[in-house]
Amino acid sequence: MRKIGLYYFTNDLRFTHNELLALACDQVDELIGVVMPIQISPFVQHHSGEDQVGEHRLLFWQRSVEDLARQFEDQNQSLFIMRSSEAGDLIQLIKTCQVSNIYCNQHPGSDEYELIQEAQESLPNIKVISTNNSTLLDNADLPFELNKLPKSFTRFRKLIEAGSELLNIIEHSPAPVLPKLPNVLRDNLNIAPNISVINTSEKSQISHSLNQTGVALFKGGENAGIAHITDYFRHSYASHYKQTRNALDGMSHSTKFSPWLALGCLSPKTIVSTLRQYEDQYGSNESTYWIQFELLWREYFYWRARASGHALFTNPQDSHALTTEAKAAFNRWKMGNTNYPIVDACMRELNATGYMSNRGRQLAASCLIYELGCDWRWGAAYFETQLVDYDVASNWGNWSYIAGMNGQQTRHFDLEKQTQMYDPQHEFIQRWANTNEMHQIAK
């Protein structure tokens, strides 16, 4: 009996260095690759006040999907997009195409996890193969049970760095994997009403362009991600990373790996192995270590999201009613009209480009929570709609961290002091002071 596999792409939109995709290709006779349209949940709509994904995030995702589709086409295969992100449509597709195996990344988002759970419960004979396809470590590599995940990042980092698992990963470059895709018999696909082919040779159903208010800072897709990481390590930026990483702008001041990491166009293992090659050639120092340090923050937030489930999105001190006054303050924050210049500049940059520096995100979050008195989840939800590098674990984890959830100390920043530290001449503030200049790329 022929095995028909379905690979459900989420935040692993890459073809090479995709161990799960290679596994799927080895195990089935036919393989159907599918993506679901990018949408925001009613929960996010309610908390953000937005009813759709921002154009910058949407465009980056679209280009990433189209890049993946081209790689399918290179092997005379097709990548398909589903009609919706509903479990019912996924279940219908599985039934129609007589799928026996489902392959999917272990996504840290509770909605994505529950979608697969619902499909598995409805179709108990389906075999689900799910791996950690977007992290440095697998669950089995952790030196603790997931329900005993350390409450602090520092404790997590020390435990990981003290073990051999991470060293094994970072000292061995991942072997290039270029899967040979099995063919797909079109009979079942032709009658599946809820999917369509992503055709990159013509204007596809997911094509989209920015309006005149913004500019695309990043080009989506695995090929663009590889080009970026190659260019970054071609220079000496990594050797000075710790000194420049908190800058409010500047394309080379931080790695800017996050957009491609968020969608899995780049694997964190690939980044670490490339970093090791750089250190072998140019030497290691505190700055090169700090790149690994930041990847461990990402790792921590991933496992925190996996351990927390729905609790990641809750506020135990939920006393923030959406009053008229609070809603007005939140809307001013979103538009960059808070009268806190450093925060306003950051928010206008986000709205114009879909991106904001890590330091800017901390200041914007602190302002919304402590100066404006709003529920931190409103800001996290708005960032979810806008950021080109949106990652459910890192975004919601960072916001809850600033808000002091999970027993953490609150992170209330002195905005005037931060301005003097990171924009003493107000160059960044002035760059985004005039909305007519919002389309300019920060230099």
Side-chain angles (χ1 to χ4, degrees), residues 224-253:
I226 292 173
H228 175 74
I229 191 175
T230 301
D231 181 71
Y232 181 83
F233 285 113
R234 184 182 294 125
H235 297 84
S236 61
Y237 304 143
S239 298
H240 311 286
Y241 171 76
K242 192 178 181 185
Q243 289 73 44
T244 62
R245 66 188 178 92
N246 278 318
L248 294 171
D249 59 1
M251 288 299 291
S252 63
H253 287 164

Side-chain angles (χ1 to χ4, degrees), residues 354-426:
Y355 185 79
M356 185 191 298
S357 68
N358 180 63
R359 176 59 50 174
R361 297 178 202 202
Q362 295 182 64
L363 302 185
S366 178
C367 178
L368 181 70
I369 297 167
Y370 301 111
E371 265 63 52
L372 303 182
C374 294
D375 190 324
W376 64 271
R377 295 174 299 176
W378 303 353
Y382 184 68
F383 273 21
E384 175 171 341
T385 67
Q386 301 300 313
L387 286 169
V388 295
D389 62 352
Y390 171 71
D391 174 279
V392 59
S394 294
N395 179 66
W396 288 85
N398 268 303
W399 272 91
S400 67
Y401 177 71
I402 297 294
M405 298 293 103
N406 301 315
Q408 299 283 350
Q409 182 179 359
T410 59
R411 302 274 291 173
H412 186 180
F413 289 91
D414 183 327
L415 297 177
E416 181 59 35
K417 181 179 179 180
Q418 292 288 308
T419 301
Q420 291 303 314
M421 291 176 63
Y422 297 109
D423 193 29
Q425 304 302 318
H426 288 203

Side-chain angles (χ1 to χ4, degrees), residues 45 94 101 154 295 310 404:
Q45 291 183 36
I94 293 169
N101 294 15
T154 299
L295 286 172
H310 278 295

Side-chain angles (χ1 to χ4, degrees), residues 8-181:
Y8 167 38
F9 286 94
T10 54
N11 59 341
D12 54 348
L13 299 180
R14 64 183 182 276
F15 197 76
T16 56
H17 291 161
N18 187 328
E19 296 169 354
L20 182 60
L21 181 59
L23 178 65
C25 292
D26 286 340
Q27 291 184 344
V28 300
D29 302 298
E30 302 177 41
L31 185 66
I32 305 166
V34 299
V35 294
M36 290 185 175
I38 184 172
Q39 296 175 341
I40 55 176
S41 67
F43 174 87
V44 171
Q45 291 183 36
H46 170 74
H47 284 80
S48 68
E50 304 292 318
D51 58 7
Q52 60 186 359
V53 175
E55 60 184 357
H56 301 280
R57 184 185 170 199
L58 180 61
L59 179 60
F60 187 83
W61 175 84
Q62 289 169 343
R63 288 179 172 173
S64 298
V65 169
E66 289 170 349
D67 182 78
L68 181 63
R70 289 187 192 95
Q71 299 186 69
F72 269 69
E73 291 172 357
D74 288 344
Q75 294 203 25
N76 296 316
Q77 245 268 38
S78 296
L79 183 65
F80 296 86
I81 185 168
M82 294 188 61
R83 179 178 60 193
S84 77
S85 299
E86 300 296 326
D89 274 348
L90 178 62
I91 293 169
Q92 180 185 1
L93 177 62
I94 293 169
K95 290 180 177 179
T96 301
C97 297
Q98 301 177 341
V99 170
S100 59
N101 294 15
I102 301 175
Y103 298 86
C104 58
N105 182 36
Q106 291 186 2
H107 199 286
S110 57
D111 289 346
E112 290 80 3
Y113 173 80
E114 290 173 358
L115 183 144
I116 296 299
Q117 287 291 104
E118 185 174 342
Q120 193 168 20
E121 290 172 3
S122 298
L123 304 166
N125 293 327
I126 297 297
K127 184 178 182 181
V128 176
I129 300 92
S130 185
T131 65
N132 301 112
N133 204 27
S134 60
T135 57
L136 288 171
L137 301 174
D138 292 324
N139 199 326
D141 296 325
L142 298 176
F144 42 74
E145 297 295 326
L146 189 55
N147 61 3
K148 296 180 180 178
L149 180 77
K151 291 185 177 181
S152 75
F153 166 71
T154 299
R155 177 63 176 159
F156 170 84
R157 175 181 60 81
K158 289 181 177 179
L159 286 172
I160 297 301
E161 291 183 337
S164 61
E165 295 85 357
L166 183 59
L167 292 177
N168 289 335
I169 291 170
I170 62 181
E171 290 177 358
H172 296 86
S173 301
V177 176
L178 186 63
K180 178 64 175 71
L181 294 173

